[in-house]
Short mmCIF file of all heavy atoms in Angstrom, two decimals:
data_model
loop_
_atom_site.label_atom_id
_atom_site.label_comp_id
_atom_site.label_asym_id
_atom_site.label_seq_id
_atom_site.Cartn_x
_atom_site.Cartn_y
_atom_site.Cartn_z
N PRO L 259 58.37 14.93 -30.70
CA PRO L 259 58.22 15.63 -29.43
C PRO L 259 59.15 15.06 -28.35
O PRO L 259 59.64 15.79 -27.49
CB PRO L 259 56.75 15.40 -29.05
CG PRO L 259 56.08 14.95 -30.31
CD PRO L 259 57.13 14.21 -31.08
N THR L 260 59.34 13.75 -28.35
CA THR L 260 60.28 13.06 -27.47
C THR L 260 60.97 11.99 -28.29
O THR L 260 60.52 11.64 -29.39
CB THR L 260 59.58 12.42 -26.26
OG1 THR L 260 58.52 11.57 -26.73
CG2 THR L 260 59.01 13.46 -25.32
N SER L 261 62.04 11.40 -27.75
CA SER L 261 62.87 10.53 -28.59
C SER L 261 62.95 9.09 -28.15
O SER L 261 63.38 8.24 -28.93
CB SER L 261 64.30 11.10 -28.64
OG SER L 261 64.90 11.01 -27.35
N GLY L 262 62.58 8.77 -26.88
CA GLY L 262 62.86 7.43 -26.39
C GLY L 262 64.34 7.13 -26.50
O GLY L 262 65.17 8.04 -26.59
N PHE L 263 64.68 5.83 -26.52
CA PHE L 263 66.09 5.48 -26.72
C PHE L 263 66.36 4.93 -28.11
O PHE L 263 67.48 4.57 -28.45
CB PHE L 263 66.58 4.49 -25.66
CG PHE L 263 65.89 3.14 -25.65
CD1 PHE L 263 65.93 2.30 -26.75
CD2 PHE L 263 65.24 2.68 -24.52
CE1 PHE L 263 65.31 1.06 -26.75
CE2 PHE L 263 64.61 1.44 -24.50
CZ PHE L 263 64.65 0.62 -25.63
N ALA L 264 65.32 4.81 -28.94
CA ALA L 264 65.46 4.15 -30.24
C ALA L 264 66.15 5.05 -31.26
O ALA L 264 65.81 6.23 -31.38
CB ALA L 264 64.08 3.75 -30.77
N ASN L 265 67.10 4.49 -32.02
CA ASN L 265 67.65 5.22 -33.15
C ASN L 265 66.50 5.67 -34.05
O ASN L 265 65.55 4.93 -34.26
CB ASN L 265 68.63 4.34 -33.92
CG ASN L 265 69.90 4.08 -33.15
OD1 ASN L 265 69.86 3.69 -31.99
ND2 ASN L 265 71.03 4.27 -33.80
N PRO L 266 66.57 6.87 -34.62
CA PRO L 266 65.36 7.47 -35.20
C PRO L 266 64.99 7.05 -36.61
O PRO L 266 63.86 7.31 -37.04
CB PRO L 266 65.68 8.96 -35.19
CG PRO L 266 67.17 9.02 -35.31
CD PRO L 266 67.68 7.83 -34.55
N THR L 267 65.88 6.39 -37.37
CA THR L 267 65.63 6.24 -38.81
C THR L 267 64.36 5.45 -39.10
O THR L 267 63.58 5.82 -39.99
CB THR L 267 66.83 5.59 -39.50
OG1 THR L 267 68.00 6.37 -39.22
CG2 THR L 267 66.63 5.55 -41.01
N LEU L 268 64.11 4.35 -38.39
CA LEU L 268 62.91 3.56 -38.66
C LEU L 268 61.65 4.40 -38.42
O LEU L 268 60.68 4.33 -39.19
CB LEU L 268 62.90 2.30 -37.80
CG LEU L 268 61.80 1.29 -38.13
CD1 LEU L 268 61.97 0.72 -39.53
CD2 LEU L 268 61.77 0.16 -37.10
N THR L 269 61.66 5.20 -37.35
CA THR L 269 60.50 6.06 -37.07
C THR L 269 60.40 7.18 -38.10
O THR L 269 59.29 7.56 -38.50
CB THR L 269 60.60 6.64 -35.65
OG1 THR L 269 60.70 5.56 -34.71
CG2 THR L 269 59.39 7.48 -35.31
N ILE L 270 61.52 7.71 -38.56
CA ILE L 270 61.50 8.72 -39.62
C ILE L 270 60.80 8.17 -40.86
O ILE L 270 59.94 8.82 -41.46
CB ILE L 270 62.94 9.17 -39.97
CG1 ILE L 270 63.53 10.02 -38.85
CG2 ILE L 270 62.97 9.92 -41.30
CD1 ILE L 270 65.01 10.33 -39.03
N ILE L 271 61.14 6.95 -41.22
CA ILE L 271 60.54 6.34 -42.42
C ILE L 271 59.06 6.06 -42.19
O ILE L 271 58.22 6.31 -43.07
CB ILE L 271 61.31 5.06 -42.81
CG1 ILE L 271 62.73 5.42 -43.23
CG2 ILE L 271 60.59 4.31 -43.92
CD1 ILE L 271 63.64 4.23 -43.41
N ALA L 272 58.72 5.55 -41.01
CA ALA L 272 57.30 5.28 -40.71
C ALA L 272 56.48 6.56 -40.79
O ALA L 272 55.39 6.59 -41.38
CB ALA L 272 57.18 4.65 -39.33
N LEU L 273 56.98 7.65 -40.22
CA LEU L 273 56.26 8.93 -40.29
C LEU L 273 56.20 9.46 -41.72
O LEU L 273 55.20 10.09 -42.12
CB LEU L 273 56.93 9.96 -39.38
CG LEU L 273 56.75 9.79 -37.88
CD1 LEU L 273 57.56 10.84 -37.14
CD2 LEU L 273 55.28 9.89 -37.49
N ALA L 274 57.26 9.23 -42.51
CA ALA L 274 57.25 9.66 -43.91
C ALA L 274 56.17 8.92 -44.69
O ALA L 274 55.46 9.52 -45.52
CB ALA L 274 58.62 9.44 -44.53
N LEU L 275 56.01 7.64 -44.44
CA LEU L 275 54.98 6.86 -45.12
C LEU L 275 53.59 7.34 -44.69
O LEU L 275 52.66 7.42 -45.52
CB LEU L 275 55.15 5.38 -44.82
CG LEU L 275 56.46 4.74 -45.32
CD1 LEU L 275 56.57 3.30 -44.86
CD2 LEU L 275 56.54 4.82 -46.84
N ARG L 276 53.45 7.67 -43.42
CA ARG L 276 52.17 8.19 -42.92
C ARG L 276 51.86 9.53 -43.58
O ARG L 276 50.71 9.80 -43.99
CB ARG L 276 52.23 8.33 -41.40
CG ARG L 276 50.95 8.83 -40.74
CD ARG L 276 51.11 8.82 -39.23
NE ARG L 276 49.92 9.31 -38.57
CZ ARG L 276 49.72 10.58 -38.22
NH1 ARG L 276 50.64 11.50 -38.51
NH2 ARG L 276 48.60 10.95 -37.61
N LEU L 277 52.87 10.40 -43.70
CA LEU L 277 52.66 11.69 -44.36
C LEU L 277 52.32 11.50 -45.84
O LEU L 277 51.46 12.21 -46.37
CB LEU L 277 53.92 12.56 -44.20
CG LEU L 277 53.93 13.90 -44.94
CD1 LEU L 277 52.71 14.74 -44.61
CD2 LEU L 277 55.22 14.67 -44.62
N ALA L 278 52.98 10.55 -46.49
CA ALA L 278 52.66 10.27 -47.90
C ALA L 278 51.20 9.87 -48.05
O ALA L 278 50.52 10.32 -48.99
CB ALA L 278 53.59 9.19 -48.45
N ASP L 279 50.69 9.05 -47.14
CA ASP L 279 49.28 8.66 -47.20
C ASP L 279 48.37 9.88 -47.04
O ASP L 279 47.34 10.01 -47.71
CB ASP L 279 48.96 7.64 -46.10
CG ASP L 279 49.36 6.22 -46.50
OD1 ASP L 279 49.89 6.04 -47.61
OD2 ASP L 279 49.15 5.30 -45.69
N HIS L 280 48.76 10.77 -46.13
CA HIS L 280 47.96 11.99 -45.93
C HIS L 280 47.95 12.83 -47.20
O HIS L 280 46.89 13.35 -47.61
CB HIS L 280 48.54 12.80 -44.76
CG HIS L 280 47.84 14.10 -44.54
ND1 HIS L 280 46.61 14.21 -43.93
CD2 HIS L 280 48.21 15.38 -44.87
CE1 HIS L 280 46.24 15.48 -43.88
NE2 HIS L 280 47.20 16.21 -44.45
N LEU L 281 49.10 12.98 -47.85
CA LEU L 281 49.17 13.78 -49.08
C LEU L 281 48.37 13.13 -50.20
O LEU L 281 47.75 13.83 -51.02
CB LEU L 281 50.63 13.96 -49.49
CG LEU L 281 51.46 14.87 -48.58
CD1 LEU L 281 52.94 14.78 -48.92
CD2 LEU L 281 50.98 16.32 -48.68
N LYS L 282 48.35 11.80 -50.25
CA LYS L 282 47.52 11.12 -51.24
C LYS L 282 46.05 11.43 -51.00
O LYS L 282 45.28 11.65 -51.95
CB LYS L 282 47.76 9.62 -51.17
CG LYS L 282 49.14 9.18 -51.63
CD LYS L 282 49.36 7.69 -51.35
CE LYS L 282 50.79 7.28 -51.63
NZ LYS L 282 51.05 5.86 -51.25
N GLY L 283 45.66 11.46 -49.73
CA GLY L 283 44.28 11.81 -49.41
C GLY L 283 43.94 13.23 -49.80
O GLY L 283 42.84 13.51 -50.30
N MET L 284 44.89 14.15 -49.59
CA MET L 284 44.66 15.53 -49.99
C MET L 284 44.49 15.65 -51.50
O MET L 284 43.68 16.44 -52.00
CB MET L 284 45.84 16.40 -49.54
CG MET L 284 46.02 16.49 -48.03
SD MET L 284 44.67 17.38 -47.22
CE MET L 284 44.98 19.03 -47.81
N ALA L 285 45.25 14.84 -52.25
CA ALA L 285 45.19 14.90 -53.71
C ALA L 285 43.85 14.41 -54.23
O ALA L 285 43.40 14.83 -55.31
CB ALA L 285 46.32 14.07 -54.30
N ARG L 286 43.20 13.52 -53.48
CA ARG L 286 41.92 12.98 -53.93
C ARG L 286 40.75 13.92 -53.67
O ARG L 286 39.64 13.69 -54.14
CB ARG L 286 41.66 11.63 -53.26
CG ARG L 286 42.56 10.50 -53.77
CD ARG L 286 42.06 9.15 -53.29
NE ARG L 286 42.22 8.99 -51.86
CZ ARG L 286 43.28 8.43 -51.28
NH1 ARG L 286 44.29 8.00 -52.03
NH2 ARG L 286 43.35 8.31 -49.97
#
């Protein structure tokens, strides 16, 4: 929604890991 000043890759990976956890929960 907003970007701050931080380069995005670390946040992209953090959100990807969070989404992976959500998908694991859906699978269960």
Side-chain angles (χ1 to χ4, degrees):
T260 54
S261 67
F263 63 61
N265 290 50
T267 305
L268 188 64
T269 303
I270 288 172
I271 294 170
L273 287 176
L275 297 175
R276 181 175 179 268
L277 174 53
D279 279 1
H280 176 77
L281 290 169
K282 292 172 188 175
M284 296 293 291
R286 288 192 292 267

